[in-house]
Amino acid sequence: MRGRTLRAVDVVAEALERIARADPALCAFLEVWSEEALRRADEVDARVAAGERLPLAGVPLAVKGRYGLRAAGPLLAAGCVAVGATSVPGPGTPWRTWGLGAHGRTVNPWRADRTPGGSSAGAAVAVAAGLVPLATGGDGAGSVRIPAAWCAVAGLKVTGGRLASPDRTGLAAPGVLARTAADAAAWWRAVRPAGPDRAPADLPVSAVWSPDLGFARPDPEQAALARSAAGRLVDAGTVRLTRRPEPPVLLDPAPAWSALRTPGADRAGAHRVRAENDRRLDALFSGADLLLTPTTPTAPHGHEGPGDRYSTALTWAFNVSGHPALSVPAGFGADGCPAGLQLVAARGREDLLLAVAREAERRGATA
């Protein structure tokens, strides 16, 4: 579109047509803003014709929930065109790995009898099904990374506090769902805080593998899929697994996360857990660049609910600690459902996560 071989209005119209065809079955959208999107796309075409350089000119964008447009200013300024609001858990839903769209319950595009994860449910489905290339998300316990893993897309949660968030607890951070890490990197370039660029990472970077963070109990298949994906990063020359430092043994963050989310709760214990896990993670990242884990402990569950297994077991530690984390596709289980590999870096190192994942994609090392 910047080269004027395509028009934004045509690209957005095609995205709207795809949504109209597929969304009655997928239920990924709460609202679709067809007229407004086409008007915005026409404005983008006019800006490009006037010589304005827009890095994301005409890119169709889905935003999380009805209020997601409030945080999309940098993306709209970069040329994105918001086409609609994606589904989130509906009223009366006791779990977050669910979504309720305008046409009904959001389904996993790989298996309609399974959940896509949540709470950024529709965002992951819209990207996985090719309805839009980018969708915004919010991650308070894994709400970007879990649906990314279960829908076979890339999902990035940024460093806690680095971008504005309406969550007063400090646990939730903005994020993005994208078909590729390269697309997620384009999102990051548009929204990241101003400041000097870091020097490019020298590959391979050092990484520590942990199947369970010392407390989680992932299913063997999920751990095996993620470990194989880590091996492909090694084979592609993007990471180098090391045994020193040793994999971290973290304190289970569940009680701390719950206390921090509950008004009036005694948070002294939560602060002790956070401080101790921060100490252990700081020690890890003083000797290694990345921590690699499965994204989820289980495959996608059915729409009746998750049972007694928390899908957040491997993700919410990094909401409590604030570290940035990226889920990339790790392959498919015997049930035909996707799994994810989680990459975690030191605070403020989103660039490192994306550089490793982008190069792995370029070298054909991702699922």
Side-chain angles (χ1 to χ4, degrees):
M1 283 174 274
R2 292 198 305 267
R4 305 186 194 181
T5 58
L6 288 174
R7 294 193 310 159
V9 70
D10 294 330
V11 173
V12 170
E14 290 174 2
L16 292 169
E17 289 173 4
R18 289 194 299 272
I19 293 168
R21 289 196 308 269
D23 200 52
L26 295 173
C27 305
F29 281 86
L30 284 164
E31 299 175 354
V32 179
W33 307 320
S34 299
E35 292 185 6
E36 177 67 9
L38 291 171
R39 186 182 69 80
R40 293 278 187 179
D42 193 56
E43 292 176 357
V44 169
D45 283 328
R47 293 167 67 188
V48 171
E52 190 172 351
R53 179 170 175 79
L54 303 175
L56 296 175
V59 173
L61 172 74
V63 299
K64 181 182 178 180
R66 288 191 170 91
Y67 305 107
L69 201 56
R70 295 176 179 177
L75 296 169
L76 302 183
C80 281
V81 176
V83 297
T86 56
S87 67
V88 293
T93 304
W95 55 86
R96 303 295 286 175
T97 53
W98 209 75
L100 184 63
H103 298 287
R105 180 180 61 198
T106 310
V107 304
N108 192 303
W110 297 95
R111 274 192 59 165
D113 64 334
R114 303 292 179 91
T115 177
S119 59
S120 304
V125 172
V127 171
L131 306 185
V132 292
L134 286 179
T136 63
D139 191 313
S143 289
V144 164
R145 290 161 288 162
I146 293 166
W150 285 355
C151 292
V153 298
L156 172 68
K157 177 197 84 73
V158 305
T159 301
R162 196 165 187 197
L163 297 178
S165 169
D167 179 41
R168 296 180 179 179
T169 69
L171 293 171
V176 69
L177 294 113
R179 292 296 292 272
T180 65
D183 286 350
W187 172 88
W188 178 240
R189 288 193 296 272
V191 304
R192 66 182 178 183
D197 291 334
R198 290 180 180 266
D202 291 327
L203 301 179
V205 301
S206 59
V208 172
W209 162 254
S210 174
D212 57 11
L213 296 175
F215 63 85
R217 295 178 294 107
D219 290 345
E221 185 180 54
Q222 295 295 300
L225 287 168
R227 182 60 182 82
S228 293
R232 290 192 291 273
L233 299 186
V234 173
D235 293 342
T238 59
V239 304
R240 171 179 52 82
L241 291 180
T242 176
R243 296 181 181 274
R244 292 287 185 273
E246 294 183 352
V249 177
L250 301 184
L251 302 178
D252 187 344
W257 188 93
S258 297
L260 292 169
R261 293 288 290 182
T262 304
D266 181 0
R267 297 178 179 174
H271 293 317
R272 286 194 293 271
V273 170
R274 171 182 272 167
E276 180 57 26
N277 279 353
D278 282 354
R279 184 187 69 79
R280 298 180 188 188
L281 289 168
D282 288 346
L284 171 79
F285 289 119
S286 68
D289 297 305
L290 296 179
L291 170 62
L292 308 180
T293 79
T295 305
T296 63
T298 66
H301 56 74
H303 294 286
E304 72 282 355
D308 59 359
R309 299 286 302 279
Y310 281 123
S311 58
T312 55
L314 290 155
T315 52
W316 55 2
F318 308 111
N319 295 90
V320 175
S321 71
H323 290 79
L326 172 68
S327 180
V328 296
F332 292 82
D335 61 358
C337 291
L341 171 68
Q342 178 175 228
L343 289 70
V344 187
R347 296 178 188 89
R349 293 309 312 268
E350 290 86 356
D351 61 311
L352 180 61
L353 294 175
L354 292 165
V356 169
R358 287 175 63 193
E359 186 60 20
E361 286 177 350
R362 193 185 72 80
R363 301 181 187 184
T366 55

